[in-house]
Amino acid sequence: MLLNTENNAALQQVLAALEGQRKNIASGQKKGYLIIAGGIAILILACVLGFPIPGFIGVLALGIFGGVKLSNAYSEQRFYSDKYKRDVIGTALKFLDPSLTLEPNKGIGENEFRHCQLFNSDPDRYKTEDLVMGRAGKTGFYFAEVHAEYKTVERTKDGTRTEWHEIFKGIIFVADFNKNFNGITIVRPKDFGAAFGAWFSKNLFSIGSNDVVKLENTDFDKTFVTYGSNQVEARYILTPAMMERILNLNQQSKYTISLSFIESRMYIGFPLQRNYFEAPVFKSLLDPAIIDEDITAIKFMYDIVKELDLNTRIWGKE
């Protein structure tokens, strides 16, 4: 267990204050849906009995009343969700490391997402949130949830059909590598898989046999394909020790990760299906498992610096 939330007085005080608000929101949503369902039931009964007009009046009145209830509950939920992230997750982060901060309404900018060179499709729809920033030893880092999609438009006999396709959904992690790279190095899964979509950027450099970096670690080459615009630098970055650390990190992830080394930063993409840091509405905040799952995810990201030994400064920035 990451931190004992049940015995943490400061955290329990924050949770208790929010628990009452959560119950009000859950109650408001349930009442709103029940009122609307009751209106529909009245309409059906009225039509069966031959009184459709009174039934329509009844469903309209109850629909408006139920809609107002739902609207108020969802409006309150937005404030509650933001408060949960700032007060609950934010408080818990300080116990992990005082340097950690959470900004719910910030994230990885779309330009930086393109710049990290992990994907060959530019997003037509892009969302990012829950920016966590901090420092582990000498290494500054930040990460955020990202959901990027592109669209295709197909002509049909009935007009056009628009479909959305996922480029990436998960967490993008960024850390200072303390080295100004001359080239660009990309490490991507050998088996693409549906979870990660299209990977390599066509704008980086033309993909050819000379761009593939052959490494001495056979397990690494079985798991990843490495591309480098500077072969010598790519091998300089991916030392035997670094490759082993990346493999260990990958084994701890549900889906195969990807990495890029650009300028002086290292980017890691973690595909995920779960949306973290969201306040529960129909589950009690007093259940320690609720917050522990979120904090465990943050601890996993925080430990990347140690896992990859980024605090060992082999190089100085040029």
Side-chain angles (χ1 to χ4, degrees), residues 1 3-9 11-12 15 286-288 291-292:
M1 190 171 177
L3 64 89
N4 194 331
T5 57
E6 293 175 281
N7 295 329
N8 190 306
L11 196 55
Q12 285 299 315
L15 288 169
L286 304 182
D287 179 358
I291 186 173
D292 283 354

Side-chain angles (χ1 to χ4, degrees), residues 138-201:
K138 303 173 185 176
T139 304
F141 66 90
Y142 55 93
F143 60 90
E145 291 185 321
V146 168
H147 189 194
E149 300 168 285
Y150 72 93
K151 69 177 178 180
T152 56
V153 180
E154 181 182 357
R155 293 189 178 276
T156 67
K157 61 181 180 180
D158 299 320
T160 58
R161 181 176 63 191
T162 300
E163 293 185 347
W164 289 95
H165 310 272
E166 193 164 279
I167 300 172
F168 176 79
K169 183 179 181 182
I171 288 177
I172 300 290
F173 176 92
V174 190
D176 173 28
F177 206 74
N178 199 49
K179 165 74 176 174
N180 290 320
F181 305 117
N182 296 316
I184 296 173
T185 301
I186 306 289
V187 178
R188 65 167 173 83
K190 180 159 284 186
D191 181 10
F192 284 75
F196 226 20
W199 272 85
F200 199 66
S201 173

Side-chain angles (χ1 to χ4, degrees), residues 37-238:
I40 294 172
I42 289 173
L43 174 61
I44 293 172
L45 181 61
C47 289
V48 170
L49 296 176
F51 302 104
I53 294 177
F56 278 112
I57 294 173
V59 76
L60 180 62
L62 291 175
I64 292 172
F65 184 50
V68 170
K69 278 275 187 186
L70 282 177
S71 178
N72 291 338
Y74 280 113
S75 294
E76 188 178 357
Q77 184 179 347
R78 285 192 292 271
F79 291 105
Y80 157 74
S81 178
D82 190 67
K83 195 169 180 61
Y84 171 80
K85 291 178 180 182
R86 292 186 183 278
D87 293 354
V88 177
I89 301 299
T91 298
L93 288 183
K94 295 302 180 184
F95 288 100
L96 176 60
D97 189 310
S99 75
L100 291 173
T101 60
L102 170 64
E103 293 290 341
N105 299 316
K106 294 183 180 180
I108 305 289
E110 187 174 340
N111 286 338
E112 186 169 12
F113 176 82
R114 297 169 189 260
H115 179 71
C116 76
Q117 300 281 6
L118 292 175
F119 314 97
N120 69 356
S121 297
D122 289 335
D124 296 307
R125 187 162 62 187
Y126 185 83
K127 181 183 178 183
T128 182
E129 62 179 355
D130 299 333
L131 175 67
V132 176
M133 302 180 68
R135 177 170 290 275
K138 303 173 185 176
T139 304
F141 66 90
Y142 55 93
F143 60 90
E145 291 185 321
V146 168
H147 189 194
E149 300 168 285
Y150 72 93
K151 69 177 178 180
T152 56
V153 180
E154 181 182 357
R155 293 189 178 276
T156 67
K157 61 181 180 180
D158 299 320
T160 58
R161 181 176 63 191
T162 300
E163 293 185 347
W164 289 95
H165 310 272
E166 193 164 279
I167 300 172
F168 176 79
K169 183 179 181 182
I171 288 177
I172 300 290
F173 176 92
V174 190
D176 173 28
F177 206 74
N178 199 49
K179 165 74 176 174
N180 290 320
F181 305 117
N182 296 316
I184 296 173
T185 301
I186 306 289
V187 178
R188 65 167 173 83
K190 180 159 284 186
D191 181 10
F192 284 75
F196 226 20
W199 272 85
F200 199 66
S201 173
K202 296 176 182 176
N203 299 321
L204 179 56
F205 48 84
S206 60
I207 300 175
S209 59
N210 292 332
D211 300 320
V212 177
V213 182
K214 293 296 183 183
L215 300 165
E216 296 180 359
N217 188 316
T218 54
D219 289 336
F220 194 87
D221 278 342
K222 286 178 182 178
T223 307
F224 301 104
V225 177
T226 303
Y227 294 91
S229 61
N230 185 319
Q231 293 267 328
V232 173
E233 185 177 67
R235 293 188 181 92
Y236 198 47
I237 295 168
L238 296 170

